[in-house]
Amino acid sequence: MILMIATFLIVIGILSSLLCFHVARQQDVVQRRLSQVSYASAAHPNKNRWRWKSNPSRCKHLALIGFSHDDAETQFVVVRCVIMLCGSWLWFTSRSLSWSVADVAQCIAISIILGILVDRSLQVWVDRIRCQVARVTPDALDLMVVCVASGLTLEKMFRVVGQEMASVSPAFARQWCQTATEMAVLDSPQQALVNLDQRLELSDINNMVVTMSQALKFGTPLSKALSLMAADSRHYQLLELEEWAGKIPAKMSFPLVVLIMLPVVIMIVAPVVLSLFETLERL
């Protein structure tokens, strides 16, 4: 009898352990998905009441380049301050400056310039990522049409397209997988699409978000709309290339005048001017 009770308790303990392990694993999966959701979809808790007020634009830019964790802005500010201090100290030591007002003002100016350069570098990085995303958007829309035609859900479609485009554009794949994670966590997929539009701020993405939101709201066919959007995106990119090619002659006019026409004019006029100077010397 005691042996049966002990066996029963052992079985109950093993089953309870397995159940607790399964629940804890599910909670870990949910926590991992929540950690991947962007700051735009959920507000970060205030972990430190002494923390400074964050810059939404800077947080958006850092999240766009892949630094979406809570301490990304803090780390960026610390790195920028270190660069500013190191740059001003190198200027101070290399120029053998003293602690006068003028020399300290020079170091402060150098540190401010370095801080501005760091911010501009971040903006240039963000612009490059946006251009890269805009360039591969038509191909992604074609893949989304194939996914819709095969019967995949919206979340699975974004995840599959993001995984397939990882070798072409890692930034694009990161944004698409993040949107898929938000769709799995948030209440409505429209909010995840709005977050994607707010992160990228591109016209093609805005058109895609509006079209997909209307399709989800009114039940309109999505594959045909995505096909039209892909064709329009390619046509728009072709127009941009034609516009860029049309600006080349105007941009080439200044180097042509300075580097070619000016030396030719000098070669033609110089002998006449030299002969004129010789004639005037003889007089």
Side-chain angles (χ1 to χ4, degrees), residues 132-176:
Q132 184 181 7
V133 172
R135 187 174 64 252
V136 301
T137 298
D139 299 331
L141 290 175
D142 290 335
L143 288 177
M144 292 172 70
V145 172
V146 176
C147 293
V148 170
S150 62
L152 295 180
T153 61
L154 196 61
E155 174 193 351
K156 188 66 176 177
M157 177 182 67
F158 271 89
R159 193 172 301 278
V160 169
V161 173
Q163 293 173 356
E164 293 294 331
M165 297 294 292
S167 59
V168 179
S169 175
F172 181 89
R174 183 171 59 249
Q175 294 299 321
W176 249 238

Short mmCIF file of all heavy atoms in Angstrom, two decimals, residues 132-176:
data_model
loop_
_atom_site.label_atom_id
_atom_site.label_comp_id
_atom_site.label_asym_id
_atom_site.label_seq_id
_atom_site.Cartn_x
_atom_site.Cartn_y
_atom_site.Cartn_z
N GLN A 132 17.55 51.19 -49.18
CA GLN A 132 17.67 49.75 -49.43
C GLN A 132 16.32 49.06 -49.34
O GLN A 132 15.98 48.21 -50.18
CB GLN A 132 18.65 49.15 -48.42
CG GLN A 132 18.95 47.68 -48.64
CD GLN A 132 19.91 47.13 -47.60
OE1 GLN A 132 20.25 47.81 -46.64
NE2 GLN A 132 20.33 45.90 -47.78
N VAL A 133 15.52 49.43 -48.35
CA VAL A 133 14.18 48.84 -48.21
C VAL A 133 13.30 49.23 -49.39
O VAL A 133 12.55 48.40 -49.93
CB VAL A 133 13.56 49.27 -46.87
CG1 VAL A 133 12.09 48.86 -46.79
CG2 VAL A 133 14.32 48.67 -45.71
N ALA A 134 13.36 50.49 -49.81
CA ALA A 134 12.55 50.94 -50.94
C ALA A 134 12.95 50.24 -52.23
O ALA A 134 12.10 49.99 -53.10
CB ALA A 134 12.67 52.46 -51.09
N ARG A 135 14.24 49.89 -52.37
CA ARG A 135 14.69 49.24 -53.60
C ARG A 135 14.20 47.81 -53.71
O ARG A 135 13.90 47.33 -54.82
CB ARG A 135 16.23 49.28 -53.64
CG ARG A 135 16.81 48.78 -54.94
CD ARG A 135 18.30 48.97 -55.00
NE ARG A 135 19.01 48.20 -53.98
CZ ARG A 135 19.58 48.69 -52.90
NH1 ARG A 135 19.56 49.98 -52.68
NH2 ARG A 135 20.20 47.90 -52.04
N VAL A 136 14.08 47.09 -52.59
CA VAL A 136 13.67 45.69 -52.64
C VAL A 136 12.18 45.49 -52.36
O VAL A 136 11.72 44.34 -52.35
CB VAL A 136 14.49 44.86 -51.64
CG1 VAL A 136 15.98 44.96 -51.94
CG2 VAL A 136 14.22 45.30 -50.21
N THR A 137 11.44 46.57 -52.15
CA THR A 137 10.01 46.45 -51.85
C THR A 137 9.22 45.80 -52.98
O THR A 137 8.35 44.94 -52.72
CB THR A 137 9.42 47.82 -51.50
OG1 THR A 137 10.08 48.31 -50.31
CG2 THR A 137 7.94 47.73 -51.22
N PRO A 138 9.44 46.14 -54.27
CA PRO A 138 8.67 45.47 -55.34
C PRO A 138 8.87 43.96 -55.37
O PRO A 138 7.89 43.21 -55.56
CB PRO A 138 9.19 46.13 -56.63
CG PRO A 138 9.68 47.47 -56.19
CD PRO A 138 10.24 47.26 -54.83
N ASP A 139 10.09 43.49 -55.17
CA ASP A 139 10.32 42.05 -55.13
C ASP A 139 9.61 41.40 -53.95
O ASP A 139 9.05 40.30 -54.06
CB ASP A 139 11.82 41.76 -55.05
CG ASP A 139 12.58 42.29 -56.25
OD1 ASP A 139 11.96 42.37 -57.34
OD2 ASP A 139 13.76 42.63 -56.12
N ALA A 140 9.61 42.10 -52.82
CA ALA A 140 8.91 41.56 -51.65
C ALA A 140 7.40 41.51 -51.87
O ALA A 140 6.73 40.57 -51.43
CB ALA A 140 9.22 42.42 -50.42
N LEU A 141 6.87 42.49 -52.58
CA LEU A 141 5.43 42.48 -52.87
C LEU A 141 5.07 41.30 -53.78
O LEU A 141 4.02 40.67 -53.61
CB LEU A 141 5.02 43.80 -53.52
CG LEU A 141 5.05 45.03 -52.61
CD1 LEU A 141 4.74 46.29 -53.40
CD2 LEU A 141 4.09 44.88 -51.44
N ASP A 142 5.94 40.99 -54.73
CA ASP A 142 5.70 39.81 -55.57
C ASP A 142 5.71 38.52 -54.74
O ASP A 142 4.87 37.62 -54.94
CB ASP A 142 6.76 39.72 -56.67
CG ASP A 142 6.58 40.82 -57.72
OD1 ASP A 142 5.45 41.31 -57.87
OD2 ASP A 142 7.58 41.19 -58.36
N LEU A 143 6.65 38.42 -53.79
CA LEU A 143 6.67 37.25 -52.92
C LEU A 143 5.42 37.19 -52.04
O LEU A 143 4.88 36.10 -51.77
CB LEU A 143 7.92 37.28 -52.04
CG LEU A 143 9.26 37.00 -52.73
CD1 LEU A 143 10.40 37.15 -51.73
CD2 LEU A 143 9.27 35.61 -53.33
N MET A 144 4.94 38.36 -51.61
CA MET A 144 3.72 38.39 -50.80
C MET A 144 2.51 37.94 -51.62
O MET A 144 1.59 37.30 -51.09
CB MET A 144 3.52 39.79 -50.24
CG MET A 144 4.57 40.18 -49.20
SD MET A 144 4.48 41.90 -48.68
CE MET A 144 2.97 41.89 -47.75
N VAL A 145 2.49 38.28 -52.90
CA VAL A 145 1.40 37.80 -53.77
C VAL A 145 1.41 36.28 -53.85
O VAL A 145 0.35 35.62 -53.77
CB VAL A 145 1.53 38.44 -55.17
CG1 VAL A 145 0.54 37.80 -56.14
CG2 VAL A 145 1.28 39.93 -55.10
N VAL A 146 2.61 35.70 -53.98
CA VAL A 146 2.71 34.24 -54.03
C VAL A 146 2.26 33.63 -52.70
O VAL A 146 1.55 32.60 -52.68
CB VAL A 146 4.16 33.83 -54.36
CG1 VAL A 146 4.31 32.32 -54.31
CG2 VAL A 146 4.56 34.36 -55.73
N CYS A 147 2.63 34.25 -51.59
CA CYS A 147 2.23 33.73 -50.28
C CYS A 147 0.72 33.82 -50.08
O CYS A 147 0.10 32.90 -49.54
CB CYS A 147 2.95 34.50 -49.18
SG CYS A 147 4.73 34.24 -49.12
N VAL A 148 0.12 34.92 -50.53
CA VAL A 148 -1.35 35.07 -50.41
C VAL A 148 -2.05 34.03 -51.28
O VAL A 148 -3.05 33.42 -50.87
CB VAL A 148 -1.77 36.50 -50.78
CG1 VAL A 148 -3.29 36.61 -50.90
CG2 VAL A 148 -1.28 37.48 -49.73
N ALA A 149 -1.52 33.82 -52.49
CA ALA A 149 -2.14 32.83 -53.38
C ALA A 149 -2.01 31.41 -52.83
O ALA A 149 -2.86 30.56 -53.10
CB ALA A 149 -1.51 32.91 -54.76
N SER A 150 -0.96 31.14 -52.04
CA SER A 150 -0.79 29.81 -51.47
C SER A 150 -1.59 29.60 -50.20
O SER A 150 -1.58 28.49 -49.65
CB SER A 150 0.70 29.56 -51.18
OG SER A 150 1.19 30.49 -50.24
N GLY A 151 -2.25 30.64 -49.70
CA GLY A 151 -3.13 30.49 -48.55
C GLY A 151 -2.49 30.72 -47.20
O GLY A 151 -3.06 30.31 -46.18
N LEU A 152 -1.34 31.38 -47.15
CA LEU A 152 -0.70 31.65 -45.87
C LEU A 152 -1.42 32.78 -45.14
O LEU A 152 -2.02 33.66 -45.75
CB LEU A 152 0.77 32.03 -46.07
CG LEU A 152 1.69 30.95 -46.63
CD1 LEU A 152 3.10 31.50 -46.78
CD2 LEU A 152 1.68 29.72 -45.75
N THR A 153 -1.34 32.76 -43.82
CA THR A 153 -1.90 33.84 -43.02
C THR A 153 -1.02 35.08 -43.13
O THR A 153 0.10 35.03 -43.64
CB THR A 153 -2.04 33.42 -41.56
OG1 THR A 153 -0.73 33.10 -41.05
CG2 THR A 153 -2.95 32.21 -41.43
N LEU A 154 -1.53 36.20 -42.61
CA LEU A 154 -0.81 37.46 -42.73
C LEU A 154 0.50 37.41 -41.93
O LEU A 154 1.55 37.86 -42.42
CB LEU A 154 -1.70 38.60 -42.24
CG LEU A 154 -1.26 40.02 -42.64
CD1 LEU A 154 -1.24 40.17 -44.15
CD2 LEU A 154 -2.19 41.05 -42.01
N GLU A 155 0.43 36.88 -40.74
CA GLU A 155 1.65 36.76 -39.93
C GLU A 155 2.67 35.84 -40.58
O GLU A 155 3.86 36.18 -40.68
CB GLU A 155 1.28 36.23 -38.54
CG GLU A 155 2.48 35.95 -37.66
CD GLU A 155 2.11 35.14 -36.43
OE1 GLU A 155 0.89 34.96 -36.18
OE2 GLU A 155 3.04 34.70 -35.72
N LYS A 156 2.23 34.69 -41.05
CA LYS A 156 3.14 33.75 -41.71
C LYS A 156 3.69 34.32 -43.00
O LYS A 156 4.86 34.09 -43.35
CB LYS A 156 2.37 32.45 -41.99
CG LYS A 156 3.24 31.31 -42.49
CD LYS A 156 4.23 30.85 -41.43
CE LYS A 156 5.02 29.65 -41.91
NZ LYS A 156 6.03 29.23 -40.91
N MET A 157 2.88 35.11 -43.71
CA MET A 157 3.34 35.72 -44.95
C MET A 157 4.50 36.68 -44.69
O MET A 157 5.53 36.63 -45.37
CB MET A 157 2.18 36.45 -45.62
CG MET A 157 2.56 37.20 -46.89
SD MET A 157 1.14 38.09 -47.58
CE MET A 157 0.90 39.33 -46.30
N PHE A 158 4.36 37.54 -43.68
CA PHE A 158 5.43 38.49 -43.37
C PHE A 158 6.68 37.75 -42.91
O PHE A 158 7.80 38.14 -43.28
CB PHE A 158 4.95 39.47 -42.30
CG PHE A 158 4.29 40.69 -42.85
CD1 PHE A 158 2.92 40.71 -43.08
CD2 PHE A 158 5.02 41.82 -43.14
CE1 PHE A 158 2.30 41.84 -43.59
CE2 PHE A 158 4.41 42.96 -43.64
CZ PHE A 158 3.04 42.96 -43.87
N ARG A 159 6.52 36.70 -42.13
CA ARG A 159 7.68 35.98 -41.64
C ARG A 159 8.40 35.25 -42.77
O ARG A 159 9.64 35.25 -42.84
CB ARG A 159 7.25 35.00 -40.55
CG ARG A 159 8.42 34.42 -39.76
CD ARG A 159 7.92 33.62 -38.58
NE ARG A 159 7.13 34.43 -37.68
CZ ARG A 159 7.66 35.23 -36.75
NH1 ARG A 159 8.97 35.32 -36.62
NH2 ARG A 159 6.88 35.93 -35.94
N VAL A 160 7.65 34.61 -43.67
CA VAL A 160 8.27 33.89 -44.78
C VAL A 160 8.99 34.85 -45.72
O VAL A 160 10.12 34.61 -46.15
CB VAL A 160 7.20 33.06 -45.53
CG1 VAL A 160 7.76 32.52 -46.84
CG2 VAL A 160 6.72 31.91 -44.67
N VAL A 161 8.35 35.97 -46.03
CA VAL A 161 8.98 36.96 -46.92
C VAL A 161 10.23 37.54 -46.27
O VAL A 161 11.26 37.73 -46.94
CB VAL A 161 7.97 38.06 -47.28
CG1 VAL A 161 8.66 39.19 -48.05
CG2 VAL A 161 6.84 37.50 -48.11
N GLY A 162 10.17 37.81 -44.97
CA GLY A 162 11.35 38.32 -44.28
C GLY A 162 12.50 37.33 -44.29
O GLY A 162 13.66 37.71 -44.49
N GLN A 163 12.20 36.06 -44.09
CA GLN A 163 13.26 35.05 -44.12
C GLN A 163 13.84 34.86 -45.51
O GLN A 163 15.04 34.65 -45.67
CB GLN A 163 12.71 33.73 -43.58
CG GLN A 163 12.35 33.75 -42.10
CD GLN A 163 11.66 32.49 -41.64
OE1 GLN A 163 11.38 31.58 -42.45
NE2 GLN A 163 11.38 32.39 -40.36
N GLU A 164 12.99 34.94 -46.53
CA GLU A 164 13.48 34.77 -47.90
C GLU A 164 14.31 35.96 -48.37
O GLU A 164 15.22 35.81 -49.19
CB GLU A 164 12.30 34.56 -48.85
CG GLU A 164 11.55 33.25 -48.66
CD GLU A 164 12.41 32.04 -48.99
OE1 GLU A 164 13.31 32.17 -49.84
OE2 GLU A 164 12.19 30.97 -48.38
N MET A 165 14.00 37.16 -47.85
CA MET A 165 14.71 38.36 -48.27
C MET A 165 15.92 38.66 -47.39
O MET A 165 16.55 39.70 -47.57
CB MET A 165 13.76 39.56 -48.23
CG MET A 165 12.58 39.47 -49.18
SD MET A 165 13.06 39.52 -50.93
CE MET A 165 13.65 41.20 -51.05
N ALA A 166 16.25 37.78 -46.46
CA ALA A 166 17.37 38.04 -45.55
C ALA A 166 18.70 38.12 -46.29
O ALA A 166 19.57 38.91 -45.94
CB ALA A 166 17.43 36.97 -44.47
N SER A 167 18.86 37.31 -47.33
CA SER A 167 20.12 37.33 -48.08
C SER A 167 20.22 38.54 -49.00
O SER A 167 21.32 38.94 -49.36
CB SER A 167 20.25 36.04 -48.91
OG SER A 167 19.16 35.92 -49.82
N VAL A 168 19.09 39.12 -49.36
CA VAL A 168 19.08 40.28 -50.25
C VAL A 168 19.24 41.57 -49.47
O VAL A 168 20.04 42.44 -49.82
CB VAL A 168 17.78 40.30 -51.09
CG1 VAL A 168 17.76 41.52 -52.01
CG2 VAL A 168 17.65 39.02 -51.89
N SER A 169 18.45 41.72 -48.41
CA SER A 169 18.48 42.93 -47.60
C SER A 169 18.23 42.55 -46.15
O SER A 169 17.08 42.29 -45.77
CB SER A 169 17.41 43.93 -48.10
OG SER A 169 17.34 45.05 -47.25
N PRO A 170 19.27 42.51 -45.32
CA PRO A 170 19.06 42.17 -43.91
C PRO A 170 18.17 43.16 -43.17
O PRO A 170 17.40 42.78 -42.30
CB PRO A 170 20.48 42.16 -43.34
CG PRO A 170 21.37 41.93 -44.52
CD PRO A 170 20.69 42.61 -45.66
N ALA A 171 18.27 44.45 -43.53
CA ALA A 171 17.43 45.45 -42.88
C ALA A 171 15.96 45.23 -43.21
O ALA A 171 15.08 45.33 -42.33
CB ALA A 171 17.86 46.85 -43.32
N PHE A 172 15.68 44.92 -44.46
CA PHE A 172 14.29 44.65 -44.85
C PHE A 172 13.78 43.40 -44.14
O PHE A 172 12.64 43.38 -43.64
CB PHE A 172 14.22 44.45 -46.37
CG PHE A 172 12.84 44.19 -46.90
CD1 PHE A 172 12.02 45.24 -47.26
CD2 PHE A 172 12.36 42.90 -47.02
CE1 PHE A 172 10.74 45.00 -47.73
CE2 PHE A 172 11.10 42.65 -47.49
CZ PHE A 172 10.28 43.70 -47.86
N ALA A 173 14.58 42.35 -44.08
CA ALA A 173 14.17 41.11 -43.40
C ALA A 173 13.91 41.36 -41.92
O ALA A 173 12.97 40.81 -41.34
CB ALA A 173 15.25 40.05 -43.58
N ARG A 174 14.73 42.21 -41.30
CA ARG A 174 14.54 42.51 -39.89
C ARG A 174 13.22 43.24 -39.65
O ARG A 174 12.48 42.93 -38.70
CB ARG A 174 15.70 43.36 -39.39
CG ARG A 174 15.65 43.68 -37.91
CD ARG A 174 16.94 44.33 -37.45
NE ARG A 174 17.24 45.56 -38.15
CZ ARG A 174 18.25 45.71 -39.00
NH1 ARG A 174 19.04 44.70 -39.27
NH2 ARG A 174 18.48 46.86 -39.60
N GLN A 175 12.87 44.17 -40.52
CA GLN A 175 11.61 44.90 -40.36
C GLN A 175 10.41 43.99 -40.60
O GLN A 175 9.40 44.06 -39.87
CB GLN A 175 11.57 46.08 -41.34
CG GLN A 175 12.60 47.17 -41.06
CD GLN A 175 12.43 47.80 -39.71
OE1 GLN A 175 11.31 48.02 -39.27
NE2 GLN A 175 13.54 48.11 -39.05
N TRP A 176 10.49 43.11 -41.58
CA TRP A 176 9.37 42.22 -41.87
C TRP A 176 9.17 41.18 -40.75
O TRP A 176 8.04 40.90 -40.36
CB TRP A 176 9.59 41.55 -43.22
CG TRP A 176 8.65 42.01 -44.29
CD1 TRP A 176 7.79 41.22 -45.01
CD2 TRP A 176 8.44 43.34 -44.77
NE1 TRP A 176 7.08 41.99 -45.91
CE2 TRP A 176 7.46 43.29 -45.79
CE3 TRP A 176 8.98 44.58 -44.45
CZ2 TRP A 176 7.01 44.42 -46.46
CZ3 TRP A 176 8.55 45.71 -45.13
CH2 TRP A 176 7.57 45.61 -46.12
#
